[in-house]
């Protein structure tokens, strides 16, 4: 197997050509909203423990 054919096979594998590429479970709005919620929760916890008394 030569280097160009191996690279072509890896690109095909990375694209997920057999499975259609995109997955319905990876909705960008839900993913982004979940990440935003997690970061806001971490920010709230950090400020909760960082208050001057």
């Amino acid at each position: 197997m030569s280097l160009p054919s191996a690279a072509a096979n890896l690109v095909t594998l990375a694209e997920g050509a057999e499975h259609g590429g995109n997955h319905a479970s990876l909705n960008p709005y839900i993913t982004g909203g979940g990440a935003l919620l997690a970061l806001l929760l971490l920010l709230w916890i950090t400020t909760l423990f960082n208050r001057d008394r």
Side-chain angles (χ1 to χ4, degrees):
M1 180 178 276
S2 66
L3 184 60
S5 66
N9 288 338
L10 287 175
V11 168
T12 304
L13 180 66
E15 287 176 349
E18 293 88 17
H19 302 293
N22 294 334
H23 297 282
S25 64
L26 295 176
N27 187 344
Y29 294 110
I30 294 174
T31 305
L36 179 63
L37 183 67
L39 289 172
L40 287 175
L41 179 66
L42 288 173
L43 179 64
W44 179 73
I45 291 170
T46 302
T47 56
L48 184 70
F49 287 117
N50 197 25
R51 294 189 187 212
D52 292 331
R53 295 174 199 223

